[in-house]
Amino acid sequence: MPANDKKPAGLSLLFADDERSLQELMKLELPRMGHTVTVCPDGLTAVTAIEENNYDAIIVDLDMPGMTGVEVIARLKEISPATEAVVLTGKSTTDSAIAALRHGAFDYLTKPCKLVEIEALLQRIAAKRELTQKFYALQRRLERIEGAPTLIGDSRPMQRVKALIGKVAPTESTVLVLGETGSGKELVARAVHDQSPRAGKPFVAINCGALPETLIESELFGHTKGAFTGADEHRVGLFEVANGGTIFLDEIGELPKAMQAKLLRVLESREVRRVGENKTVSIDVRVVCATHRDLAEMVAADEFREDLMYRINTFEIQLPPLRDRLDDLPTLAEHLLRRFRPHASKIEQQLTDDAVAALRAHVWPGNVRELANVIEHATILCDSGPITADDLPQHFNRRQLTGAARSRGPITLRDLEMEAIHEALQRHDGAKPKAAAELGISLKTLYNKLNQETSGLKAA
């Protein structure tokens, strides 16, 4: 069997139904599907089993003596929120099943249901569990490589940010993080999650601006097999992956207007509808959003929904740019050096005074992300020993020379021109087409000017 056709691993299940024939059937059929199962005759017995054992999922009848299926699910979510619940209903109406979904059930089936329907539903649960486990494994691997993500800095602006995080984290309020590109908005979102009661549950980060417009809905909310061309299998959306935890919607200002309306519905109803399905699935997620754009201006320009802006802006945290917290720069640089030189013994002695002075004199249009690139560049040039100003990227030294020339007197138009080019490149993380567009020159002209500068440096 090809690797991509491999079935997810079996589940540990609890099945609760007062029909004796169904109990016997599930004792035989669920193990045949590859799962282990505990069978209970009523809701009270099921709750006792849930309190004593861990299950990946439960299948529970809605109408049982002593305790209803909805009551069992409510108790389950108190004991083990990560355990998925599937409800069985024999009623012609689905009102009770929908009520169970609102209590956190994964899905429901109407009796009489076929074994293939149960098997397909359990495969979806297993796939979601496998995806969540892979996500956690990847997150742990990244933390081992780079260290646990954390907010660095004790400057006054950062003290205020940390104080706001401490206030809002224990609540369930939606948070909007505002700040320039590269300033560390995702770290703020992670800090909110880590200091909340949801710590230990999934933290799922999504860059809304990086998702193709045709796939945004599927990525966020999932889809069923055959929902559209290329949908060869059921897919769990990222909102469902984040169930029980926190979802971080970065660059939410880049969402198309049509998706803004769908996101608003999800945030208000706490339900998602997979592409290609009519049924909704209840979700329990904390939402943190972020943007570098002015949402009020976007609303005025009819680019962003006003009702969505108010919905996500319950509590606002403004993250300062690096140029407004230069007191944190040495600490940040040392933290980044530990990432790129993990075995160095005396990190605090690996930046010379002239290197620190050059870093402090920089404007930092790319913020902490730009600083990380600069430190990585320097550690490549200087693989051992202290980093000096000469190890920093070329434009740092060029700007120092320009500053010295200004102090002596007039400088050339060429110097000013190249300074503008390099600052535009920094603002766009080195993207030459975007820098050329901002400067109002052709991409070919930009390349020519950079080549001329390189030739001049070599000649010198």
Side-chain angles (χ1 to χ4, degrees):
M1 179 181 293
N4 58 352
D5 291 334
K6 181 181 177 182
K7 288 186 177 181
L11 300 170
S12 173
L13 301 174
L14 180 143
F15 180 85
D17 196 297
D18 59 335
E19 292 185 32
R20 186 63 181 269
S21 60
L22 269 181
Q23 296 171 24
E24 297 300 323
L25 180 65
M26 292 304 149
K27 283 180 182 178
L28 295 172
E29 293 299 333
L30 291 177
R32 182 188 63 77
M33 297 175 191
H35 310 294
T36 59
V37 60
T38 298
V39 175
C40 298
D42 55 58
L44 289 172
T45 307
V47 168
T48 301
I50 291 166
E51 290 172 343
E52 296 175 353
N53 303 282
N54 294 319
Y55 298 98
D56 297 314
I58 69 169
I59 304 173
V60 57
D61 186 26
L62 280 179
D63 297 307
M64 293 183 294
M67 181 177 280
T68 68
V70 171
E71 292 171 327
V72 172
I73 292 170
R75 181 61 180 145
L76 170 73
K77 292 303 175 180
E78 292 176 0
I79 301 169
S80 178
T83 300
E84 303 291 357
V86 176
V87 294
L88 299 173
T89 176
K91 294 183 177 181
S92 57
T93 175
T94 58
D95 289 348
S96 297
I98 291 172
L101 293 178
R102 292 200 172 107
H103 278 80
F106 180 81
D107 212 335
Y108 71 91
L109 293 168
T110 304
K111 293 181 181 179
C113 57
K114 299 177 181 178
L115 288 173
V116 292
E117 295 175 333
I118 296 176
E119 186 170 14
L121 189 53
L122 292 177
Q123 284 183 11
R124 283 169 51 199
I125 292 174
K128 177 183 176 181
R129 184 191 66 162
E130 194 170 283
L131 183 61
T132 303
Q133 290 173 341
K134 285 180 179 178
F135 172 80
Y136 278 136
L138 179 60
Q139 193 174 56
R140 287 192 294 270
R141 183 179 176 187
L142 286 172
E143 288 180 1
R144 284 196 299 271
I145 295 171
E146 298 186 354
T150 183
L151 283 169
I152 303 295
D154 291 311
S155 62
R156 182 166 294 183
M158 286 306 295
Q159 287 178 12
R160 173 168 173 74
V161 168
K162 291 177 180 180
L164 291 173
I165 292 170
K167 288 286 187 181
V168 75
T171 73
E172 287 294 304
S173 296
T174 303
V175 179
L176 178 62
V177 186
L178 301 176
E180 295 179 5
T181 299
S183 56
K185 296 187 288 294
E186 183 173 338
L187 291 179
V188 173
R190 285 182 179 273
V192 170
H193 173 74
D194 291 341
Q195 295 178 36
S196 76
R198 295 173 182 268
K201 300 298 192 301
F203 175 87
V204 178
I206 307 160
N207 187 333
C208 298
L211 293 174
E213 188 169 343
T214 54
L215 296 178
I216 292 177
E217 186 173 5
S218 171
E219 289 288 327
L220 294 180
F221 310 136
H223 64 252
T224 60
K225 183 177 180 179
F228 50 85
T229 302
D232 299 326
E233 58 184 3
H234 292 289
R235 180 166 184 172
V236 176
L238 294 176
F239 265 88
E240 287 187 71
V241 173
N243 197 36
T246 302
I247 192 163
F248 174 51
L249 302 176
D250 196 8
E251 298 303 348
I252 194 169
E254 310 306 316
L255 271 184
K257 287 289 291 290
M259 273 307 304
Q260 292 174 25
K262 293 178 180 180
L263 175 61
L264 178 63
R265 180 186 60 79
V266 169
L267 297 181
E268 290 180 339
S269 68
R270 297 288 171 173
E271 296 175 341
V272 297
R273 180 181 288 110
R274 304 182 190 104
V275 179
E277 275 193 2
N278 293 323
K279 294 183 293 185
T280 59
V281 178
S282 295
I283 53 168
D284 172 28
V285 294
R286 170 80 173 273
V287 178
V288 181
C289 302
T291 182
H292 72 282
R293 303 183 66 179
D294 188 323
L295 294 184
E297 287 186 0
M298 292 184 68
V299 170
D302 197 29
E303 296 174 349
F304 200 84
R305 292 181 63 103
E306 186 175 20
D307 47 5
L308 179 59
M309 181 185 70
Y310 290 127
R311 180 65 182 79
I312 64 176
N313 196 13
T314 305
F315 191 91
E316 183 179 299
I317 298 177
Q318 181 79 48
L319 187 59
L322 182 54
R323 62 182 175 274
D324 288 348
R325 56 183 189 106
L326 289 178
D327 289 345
D328 294 330
L329 196 146
T331 307
L332 281 166
E334 290 172 13
H335 173 77
L336 293 165
L337 275 168
R338 288 190 182 92
R339 178 191 301 178
F340 300 119
R341 288 180 170 179
H343 304 298
S345 57
K346 295 182 178 180
I347 292 292
E348 67 278 1
Q349 297 177 8
Q350 293 200 42
L351 280 171
T352 62
D353 290 342
D354 65 328
V356 173
L359 294 175
R360 282 185 173 275
H362 189 53
V363 181
W364 298 111
N367 291 295
V368 180
R369 185 180 300 154
E370 182 187 0
L371 176 62
N373 292 338
V374 168
I375 296 298
E376 183 176 10
H377 173 101
T379 56
I380 293 170
L381 276 185
C382 178
D383 54 7
S384 64
I387 291 170
T388 69
D390 291 336
D391 299 315
L392 301 177
Q394 193 176 71
H395 61 269
F396 275 80
N397 295 320
R398 182 190 54 73
R399 186 169 287 111
Q400 285 182 324
L401 292 173
T402 303
R406 281 181 175 151
S407 66
R408 293 193 302 268
I411 61 173
T412 67
L413 183 61
R414 173 69 179 166
D415 290 332
L416 293 173
E417 181 181 67
M418 292 312 302
E419 185 169 0
I421 287 174
H422 281 287
E423 288 179 352
L425 286 169
Q426 288 176 13
R427 279 192 293 276
H428 296 289
D429 294 326
K432 293 180 178 65
K434 292 182 178 179
E438 178 187 312
L439 293 166
I441 61 177
S442 69
L443 185 58
K444 182 178 179 180
T445 301
L446 178 63
Y447 274 110
N448 286 339
K449 291 183 181 296
L450 291 171
N451 289 335
Q452 288 168 12
E453 180 188 39
T454 302
S455 300
L457 289 170
K458 287 181 179 177

